[in-house]
Amino acid sequence: MTANTTRHSGAAKSRIAAAGAIAVAGTLLLAGCGDQTKDDSGKDSGKKTGGGSSASAPLAGKLPKEIRDKGVVKVGSDIAYPPVEFKDKSGKTVGLDLDLATALGKQLGVEFQFENGTFDTLLTGLRSKRYDLAMSAMTDTADRQNGVDAETGKKVGEGVDFVDYFTAGVSIYTPKGKTQSIKTWDDLCGKKVVLQRGTVSDDLAKSQAKKCPAGKKLAIESYDNDQQAQTRLRAGGGDAGSSDFPVAAYAVKTSGGGKDFELVGEQVEAAPYGIAFAKSNTQLRDAVKAALDAIIENGEYDKIIAKWGVDAGKVTAAKVNGGK
C-alpha cells in the first residue's frame, strides 16, 4: 500500500510523522487489544527484550555504570499501537519497536524492559525517572525537545533529547464505503474525528478546528489509545479517525478482515520517530545512538524494517534531535 506525502501548513506536530510510501506487510500479526502491563506469565510488569552478557556486547562500556550493573533499561511505551508495539493474540508484546530494542540490547549487553503506559504520560514518567527512555512511535519535534506545549506554545518542562530511528506519517481513515468525500483535513469541518490524545493527530485536529467556519464545527473525541478510537469508529461513533500512516494502514488491512475501514487522502506532517531521553541522561542517549548505528551498519536494522513491511520509513544513520 502506498500514499503520497503532503505538508499540512500551520499544524503542530506530535506523536506521528509522514515520510513517503510505507507498505504494510500482509503477513503481520493481528493486533491484540487491551492495556496490559504483565508479560506472558502474568508475573512481570513489562516485556523484557534483548540483552545478554555485557562481556560479549561490543558497546556495553558506553552505558552508564548503574544501568550496566542492573542489566536492564526501563522503557516507557504505549503498547497498543500496531504494528509498532502491541500485544498479539496470545498476549505477547510484539512489534517494530520490540524487535529494534532486542537488537539494541544485544549491542549494549542489557535487556530493554517495556512498561505499558498511556502515551500522554510517557514524558512525565521519563522526567520522574520511572523510565530510562521512552520508545513508542514518538515523533521528535522541536517543541518536545524544548519542553513546549504544542497547543499553547508555553514552556511546560525542560524537554527531552531524541535519537531518531524511523520516519512515518499521519493519515485519515473512515468507515469503509462511508468516506463522505473526506480527503483532507479541511473536509473534516462539520464532522467528528476520533483519535488518540497527545498525538500529532490530536494536534492537527485542534489546529484544524480553529480554521473551520461558523456552523461547521469539527468535533474531536480523544482516547487513551488508538485502539479505543478505532472501536468507537467501528461502532458508528465518528465520521473519521486519524493516526500514524503505518498504524492506520495496519488497521485498514486487519480490522474486520479489511472490511471495516479505508484510507482517504494523503499523508501529512513528515518527521522522524525518536527514542526519548531525559536531557540529563546524555550518556545513555549516546550509547543507544551508537547501538542504533551499529545495527544499521551490520544489516540487522534493515531486516527488522523489512519484517514489518515499513521499508520506506527506514533511516540510514542515527541522528540526535533531528526533528523540527
Side-chain angles (χ1 to χ4, degrees), residues 86-267:
F86 64 104
K87 291 183 183 291
D88 66 14
K89 285 184 174 180
S90 70
K92 180 181 179 182
T93 306
V94 296
L96 172 67
D97 280 358
L98 272 292
D99 287 350
L100 289 174
T102 298
L104 296 174
K106 290 177 182 177
Q107 293 292 320
L108 296 167
V110 292
E111 291 181 304
F112 281 63
Q113 179 176 301
F114 279 68
E115 298 185 4
N116 203 8
T118 56
F119 183 78
D120 56 354
T121 66
L122 295 182
L123 294 187
T124 302
L126 192 62
R127 287 191 288 267
S128 67
K129 299 185 178 180
R130 177 179 177 183
Y131 313 124
D132 297 310
L133 58 85
M135 189 173 186
S136 191
M138 184 177 292
T139 297
D140 172 5
T141 69
D143 283 343
R144 284 189 171 136
Q145 294 167 23
N146 297 320
V148 173
D149 182 90
E151 185 177 1
T152 65
K154 295 181 179 179
K155 183 85 170 175
V156 293
E158 71 169 348
V160 295
D161 284 337
F162 289 97
V163 172
D164 300 338
Y165 67 99
F166 188 73
T167 53
V170 184
S171 289
I172 300 170
Y173 58 99
T174 68
K176 194 161 188 177
K178 298 179 181 178
T179 67
Q180 302 182 68
S181 299
I182 296 170
K183 293 182 179 180
T184 69
W185 283 85
D186 288 339
D187 297 331
L188 290 176
C189 292
K191 305 290 195 300
K192 181 191 290 184
V193 63
V194 296
L195 42 78
Q196 181 178 1
R197 69 174 55 89
T199 65
V200 69
S201 295
D202 196 6
D203 291 343
L204 285 169
K206 290 173 180 175
S207 176
Q208 182 62 47
K210 296 176 182 177
K211 303 175 186 176
C212 290
K216 294 192 70 176
K217 179 181 178 181
L218 169 57
I220 303 168
E221 283 191 6
S222 57
Y223 295 87
D224 285 343
N225 63 60
D226 199 69
Q227 291 177 343
Q228 291 172 353
Q230 291 174 23
T231 298
R232 179 66 168 157
L233 189 61
R234 273 193 298 269
D239 299 299
S242 178
S243 60
D244 299 37
F245 172 72
V247 176
Y250 186 89
V252 166
K253 188 171 188 66
T254 61
S255 181
K259 297 178 180 178
D260 289 342
F261 306 128
E262 64 180 281
L263 287 170
V264 294
E266 301 175 339
Q267 297 180 62

Side-chain angles (χ1 to χ4, degrees), residues 60-66 68 277 279-289:
K62 290 184 174 291
L63 285 169
K65 184 177 184 302
E66 61 271 21
R68 190 167 64 246
F277 303 82
K279 288 285 188 183
S280 60
N281 211 349
T282 56
Q283 187 176 357
L284 178 60
R285 179 201 69 193
D286 292 345
V288 170
K289 179 183 182 299

